[in-house]
Amino acid sequence: MQKRLYIAAKAPRPGIAKTRLGRAIGDAAAVALYRAFLQDIGMRFAQAPFAVGWYVTPPGAWAELAPIVGWTEREAQVLAQGEGNWTERQRHLFRGAPARREEHVILIASDSPQVTVDVVAEAFRVLERDEIVVGPVFDGGYYLLGMHGWHDVLAGIRMSTTDVVQEITARAHSLGLSVGQVETTFDIDEVEDLQHLQDAALARTDLAATCAALDSLGLPRKPA
């Protein structure tokens, strides 16, 4: 049995990736920024000290994603997300862990391009102690969810709500499971979230593609 990180990724197409952000800055700009997120994430996790896979959508997306993230299918396990809403697709990934001989599974979103290898490594350490680990975002959602084994803590949970982490935690506790957390950070869904990204880009050296995208789109990197 092994531990594995999966990175959720969408084909960088208008109408599929970053649609809420696209309504504010235009679909082309939002997709260009998302492509940069994928590039930075792919480079950062290429040397991670744990197994990494990609959880992709829609069907056939990997052909578009592989050249962006710089990985081949030989270098990473690639799984299709399949049908259903995001709750059901997450359940499908975690439910299949035993058949894939994965004991500790973590899923992160690709719209938090600043997430580090160290944070994921810390999440794996949490799973040595707790059955569930969550990485919250400031708006009440989460960028990271992990499990030690398969536990159905997502059944009936609605995504994109301000209390989704609380609901998952409450359900886990009702099942007698312990829940740990790693650091709270941001994700990029709305134009207001870009301020967090601009601040991170100013302070980090591993967001080169994201910095270039911000510059090319005329989105300033310096805090207002």
Side-chain angles (χ1 to χ4, degrees), residues 17-193:
K18 308 317 303 169
T19 54
R20 279 185 284 171
L21 183 62
R23 288 194 287 271
I25 67 173
D27 285 337
V31 168
L33 193 58
Y34 181 63
R35 288 173 64 92
F37 294 176
L38 292 169
Q39 187 175 343
D40 285 334
I41 291 169
M43 182 172 295
R44 188 177 309 124
F45 284 94
Q47 303 300 322
F50 39 76
V52 179
W54 294 83
Y55 195 42
V56 306
T57 190
W62 184 244
E64 297 173 61
L65 291 165
I68 299 170
V69 304
W71 295 43
T72 67
E73 201 159 355
R74 287 184 176 183
E75 296 170 316
Q77 171 123 321
V78 178
L79 300 179
Q81 292 183 18
E83 302 297 326
N85 61 29
W86 182 225
T87 300
E88 291 305 314
R89 284 177 279 148
Q90 289 176 91
R91 291 177 74 212
H92 177 74
L93 176 71
F94 289 111
R95 188 168 51 236
R100 298 190 303 267
R101 298 188 59 78
E102 296 165 350
E103 183 177 18
H104 295 170
V105 172
I106 291 173
L107 177 65
I108 64 170
S110 51
D111 49 7
S112 292
Q114 76 286 356
V115 174
T116 66
V117 173
D118 286 346
V119 166
V120 176
E122 173 62 21
F124 277 120
R125 288 192 288 271
V126 170
L127 289 178
E128 299 289 344
R129 178 189 71 229
D130 299 312
E131 288 89 0
I132 307 295
V133 62
V134 179
V137 293
F138 297 132
D139 65 5
Y142 58 91
Y143 67 96
L144 179 151
L145 179 65
M147 297 186 193
H148 178 175
W150 157 238
H151 307 284
D152 199 0
V153 297
L154 291 170
I157 300 293
R158 293 182 301 114
M159 297 294 115
S160 301
T161 65
T162 58
D163 56 0
V164 63
V165 170
Q166 295 178 10
E167 290 184 10
I168 291 172
T169 300
R171 180 168 175 81
H173 288 163
S174 74
L175 296 172
L177 306 173
S178 59
V179 181
Q181 288 194 2
V182 290
E183 68 179 28
T184 301
T185 188
F186 62 88
D187 59 3
I188 304 298
D189 284 325
E190 308 283 355
V191 69
E192 294 80 10
D193 301 322

Side-chain angles (χ1 to χ4, degrees), residues 48 59 219:
L219 300 173

